[in-house]
């Protein structure tokens, strides 16, 4: 049973609510359930050490990653063409690993855990298998910031390939370099060499199977590459609210930390045993201070335990 509207929000109740809204089985991932596990390499840039001393970003390493689609995404009610995409990756070696979660929108759909639970409860399917749209609209009117992610996806149609998608980290991470200087950064993954390649009409991108077939064919034909960028903070940037973008985020200064090269696919079981827990960060990249990051750390661990 989904939690009642009066339930206090906890990471466990969020996991239950995500699965209830998405119609997902008990052992499925609570979010970004449809995915493809891949492998590759990471090569740092000369500038990486100016931003962070984290050896996961300043040293070459192997990469295990997962492209995904949020097939249970509550923002996708009536909007199949705008399913949120995800890209999770692990850099570094034992004891110096960082696991970063990015998605195809630069903001999250809730500011707090309580707001996220209420957002999901408003979208619980009724006896007909559909949410009560009057209830959804009433919640949205009272919580307009919860529409920002869906609005971004509607205004920025996705390319028909995961390899051509820009992925964003919605959290502000404190990054410390070898000089002991700390500033906030946001992660952005930009596809390399794909800008001029033709894609199918975006309407075909709603099929997870088509996205997966396209990705596998591109990897088989040649490497798929992404620049790992760090967007640099400015005084006054909001770091506690993941529903808000930094001012001029698309045009502000960014540093290329390195390049991820996807060289092959892996059996999905290689990623299914992992959670890509955002709590795993090598020294030099700290935990973001916002409430949703703390909740996400716990929720991912709970979801992994339920899948076993």
């Amino acid at each position: 049973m989904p939690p009642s509207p009066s339930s206090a929000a906890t990471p466990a109740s969020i996991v239950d609510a995500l699965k209830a809204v998405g119609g997902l089985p008990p052992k499925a991932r609570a979010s970004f359930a449809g995915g493809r596990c891949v492998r590759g390499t990471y090569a740092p840039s000369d500038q990486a050490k100016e931003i962070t001393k984290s050896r996961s970003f300043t040293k070459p390493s192997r990469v295990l990653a997962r492209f995904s689609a949020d097939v249970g995404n509550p923002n996708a009610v009536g909007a199949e063409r705008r399913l949120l995409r995800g890209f999770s990756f692990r850099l570094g070696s034992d004891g110096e690993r960082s696991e970063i979660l990015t998605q195809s929108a630069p903001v999250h759909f809730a500011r707090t855990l309580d707001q996220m639970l209420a957002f999901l409860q408003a979208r619980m399917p009724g006896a007909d298998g559909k949410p009560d749209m009057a209830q959804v609209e009433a919640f949205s009117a009272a919580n307009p910031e919860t529409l920002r992610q869906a609005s971004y996806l509607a205004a920025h149609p996705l390319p028909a390939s995961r390899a051509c998608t820009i992925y964003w980290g919605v959290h502000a991470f404190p990054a410390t370099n070898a000089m002991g200087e700390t500033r906030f950064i946001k992660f952005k993954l930009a596809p390399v060499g794909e800008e001029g390649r033709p894609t199918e009409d975006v309407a075909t991108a709603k099929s997870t199977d088509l996205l997966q077939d396209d990705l596998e064919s591109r990897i088989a034909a040649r490497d798929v590459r992404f620049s790992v960028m760090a967007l640099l903070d400015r005084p006054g940037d909001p770091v506690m609210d993941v529903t808000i973008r930094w001012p001029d985020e698309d045009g502000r200064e960014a540093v290329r930390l390195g390049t991820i090269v996807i060289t092959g696919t892996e059996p999905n079981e290689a990623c299914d045993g992992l959670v890509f827990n955002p709590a795993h960060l090598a020294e030099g990249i700290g935990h973001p201070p916002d409430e949703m990051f703390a909740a996400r750390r716990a929720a991912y661990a709970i979801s992994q335990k339920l899948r076993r």
Side-chain angles (χ1 to χ4, degrees):
M1 293 290 292
S4 66
S6 61
S7 298
T10 64
S13 67
I14 293 294
V15 170
D16 290 343
L18 282 167
K19 291 184 179 182
V21 170
L24 300 171
K27 291 192 175 183
R29 292 175 184 265
S31 60
F32 296 101
R36 189 67 178 94
C37 191
V38 297
R39 66 177 183 274
T41 60
Y42 171 77
S45 74
D46 293 338
Q47 293 178 290
K49 59 182 180 296
E50 299 174 8
I51 304 302
T52 177
K53 63 182 178 181
S54 173
R55 292 174 66 87
S56 57
F57 285 94
T58 61
K59 299 293 182 182
S61 70
R62 295 180 179 177
V63 172
L64 185 68
R66 183 174 182 267
F67 289 94
S68 57
D70 201 2
V71 295
N73 178 15
N75 280 328
V77 174
E80 294 176 343
R81 290 171 57 176
R82 298 191 294 274
L83 288 176
L84 193 66
R85 296 177 188 171
F87 182 62
S88 304
F89 58 94
R90 170 186 283 180
L91 307 178
S93 56
D94 291 341
E96 298 173 338
R97 286 179 174 169
S98 289
E99 298 179 3
I100 306 296
L101 316 174
T102 61
Q103 61 183 40
S104 57
V107 292
H108 190 49
F109 63 83
R111 184 180 67 255
T112 67
L113 202 61
D114 286 340
Q115 187 178 60
M116 184 172 179
L117 182 60
F119 176 100
L120 295 167
Q121 289 171 336
R123 288 158 172 77
M124 288 292 175
D128 61 354
K130 300 178 181 180
D132 181 339
M133 293 312 296
Q135 183 171 278
V136 171
E137 291 170 3
F139 176 84
S140 298
N143 299 269
E145 65 272 23
T146 62
L147 296 176
R148 290 173 185 155
Q149 186 186 89
S151 296
Y152 179 90
L153 292 170
H156 299 81
L158 290 169
S161 174
R162 290 171 174 169
C164 301
T165 301
I166 295 174
Y167 297 94
W168 309 82
V170 301
H171 304 283
F173 291 79
T176 303
N177 63 20
M179 303 288 289
E181 300 165 334
T182 300
R183 69 183 305 171
F184 283 103
I185 65 171
K186 284 188 176 183
F187 291 105
K188 175 183 177 181
L189 267 68
V192 177
E194 299 290 345
E195 295 82 357
R197 288 175 59 81
T199 60
E200 303 170 46
D201 184 86
V202 72
T204 66
K206 66 181 180 182
S207 166
T208 300
D209 290 338
L210 286 174
L211 287 172
Q212 195 151 295
D213 290 346
D214 169 84
L215 178 66
E216 292 179 1
S217 66
R218 287 173 183 263
I219 293 173
R222 70 188 201 289
D223 297 336
V224 171
R225 297 170 179 255
F226 289 91
S227 289
V228 182
M229 310 297 296
L231 304 181
L232 306 183
D233 71 340
R234 295 173 183 163
D237 281 341
V239 298
M240 301 295 290
D241 188 344
V242 291
T243 69
I244 299 176
R245 299 192 72 186
W246 286 349
D248 191 30
E249 197 170 278
D250 289 320
R252 70 167 52 201
E253 182 182 5
V255 170
R256 188 174 68 85
L257 299 176
T259 302
I260 289 176
V261 181
I262 304 301
T263 57
T265 59
E266 287 286 329
N268 281 330
E269 291 76 14
C271 286
D272 286 344
L274 299 172
V275 71
F276 289 105
N277 194 320
H280 297 159
L281 297 169
E283 184 183 3
I285 299 290
H287 290 168
D290 66 272
E291 177 180 333
M292 295 308 301
F293 183 84
R296 176 172 270 175
R297 290 163 51 194
Y300 272 68
I302 292 168
S303 181
Q304 182 188 39
K305 183 177 180 181
L306 293 174
R307 295 202 309 272
R308 290 174 175 169

